Amino acid sequence: MGVFFGYIFLGLTLAAPIGPVNAAQLDKGIKSGFFHAWLVGLGAMAADVIYMMMVFFGVVHFLEIPFMKSFLWSFGFFVLVYSGIESILHAGKVSSNTSSNEESPARSFFSGFFMSISNPLTILFWLGIYGSVLAKTSAEYDIAHVIIYSIAIFIGLIIWDITMAAIASSFRKYLNQKILATISILSGLSLIGFGVYFGIQAYKLLF
């Protein structure tokens, strides 16, 4: 049981570093509330599950082909820059009373999904971290334990997703419109920053 909780903690620490998805969750929570911020994280987790499965079945190496990496970097660049610009343009419309129903749940979910699935760092992340965990676990335990401990990692991701959504949505209750708009702009700039980094990496691979 202690090992199981250890893998839950691993899932939490894997999700904790601030990246595009966490920045997007913060922005979405301020604008649309807990549910939409949670959906952004849920979309990202769906992408994480896909990569976990690819590592598990050993097909993730296909994504290390230079053409695929450059495509993902480029796609990530467009997704993040678009999301960042949209965040900045709508910053002035943010208020603590904004209805959480203004944006469709599907859009929130897929924004998180595409941010994560198009991020080559996610591939390297899961290949390096989960790949090493998989190698260690499979060497010591049977396939049933490997699946159970993989589920434990995913539980950690879910806990972090709910925590981030709660933190992000709670901001909008205690901050005035000017501060909310400022945070939304900063979140947008953060997303654009990540996007530019992705674009530079794509350029290096292509040229």
Side-chain angles (χ1 to χ4, degrees):
M1 205 63 185
V3 177
F4 183 79
F5 283 111
Y7 279 101
I8 290 177
F9 182 73
L10 175 63
L12 277 167
T13 55
L14 291 178
I18 296 297
V21 174
N22 284 346
Q25 271 192 292
L26 181 64
D27 180 58
K28 196 68 68 177
I30 289 169
K31 287 180 177 175
S32 305
F34 173 86
F35 181 63
H36 286 269
W38 175 70
L39 284 174
V40 171
L42 194 66
M45 281 193 294
D48 287 338
V49 169
I50 291 172
Y51 282 132
M52 285 176 77
M53 294 291 286
M54 293 181 81
V55 172
F56 187 83
F57 291 110
V59 297
V60 77
H61 297 285
F62 168 72
L63 298 176
E64 293 187 300
I65 298 170
F67 171 77
M68 286 302 300
K69 287 178 77 172
S70 62
F71 171 77
L72 287 169
W73 281 122
S74 302
F75 187 58
F77 165 75
F78 287 113
V79 170
L80 290 171
V81 170
Y82 172 80
S83 299
I85 292 172
E86 186 181 48
S87 176
I88 292 170
L89 292 177
H90 290 87
K93 301 175 184 177
V94 179
S95 76
S96 58
N97 297 316
T98 302
S99 168
S100 62
N101 296 319
E102 286 183 2
E103 185 170 330
S104 74
R107 185 173 180 182
S108 296
F109 176 87
F110 283 110
S111 66
F113 177 80
F114 285 123
M115 276 183 199
S116 189
I117 202 76
S118 64
N119 185 352
L121 294 178
T122 306
I123 304 165
L124 297 174
F125 191 75
W126 284 111
L127 184 61
I129 304 297
Y130 182 63
S132 60
V133 167
L134 197 64
K136 178 180 180 295
T137 308
S138 59
E140 297 178 9
Y141 304 100
D142 57 22
I143 190 68
H145 281 84
V146 172
I147 293 170
I148 289 169
Y149 294 148
S150 297
I151 291 170
I153 292 174
F154 191 65
I155 290 171
L157 297 176
I158 292 172
I159 293 170
W160 181 258
D161 176 33
I162 294 171
T163 303
M164 272 298 296
I167 292 170
S169 59
S170 66
F171 276 137
R172 69 203 297 261
K173 298 175 183 176
Y174 305 107
L175 303 175
N176 61 41
Q177 186 170 351
K178 188 175 181 180
I179 296 174
L180 287 171
T182 302
I183 293 173
S184 189
I185 290 170
L186 290 174
S187 296
L189 290 173
S190 173
L191 291 172
I192 291 171
F194 282 115
V196 169
Y197 172 75
F198 282 21
I200 291 170
Q201 297 307 311
Y203 179 83
K204 286 180 178 178
L205 273 173
L206 290 170
F207 304 105

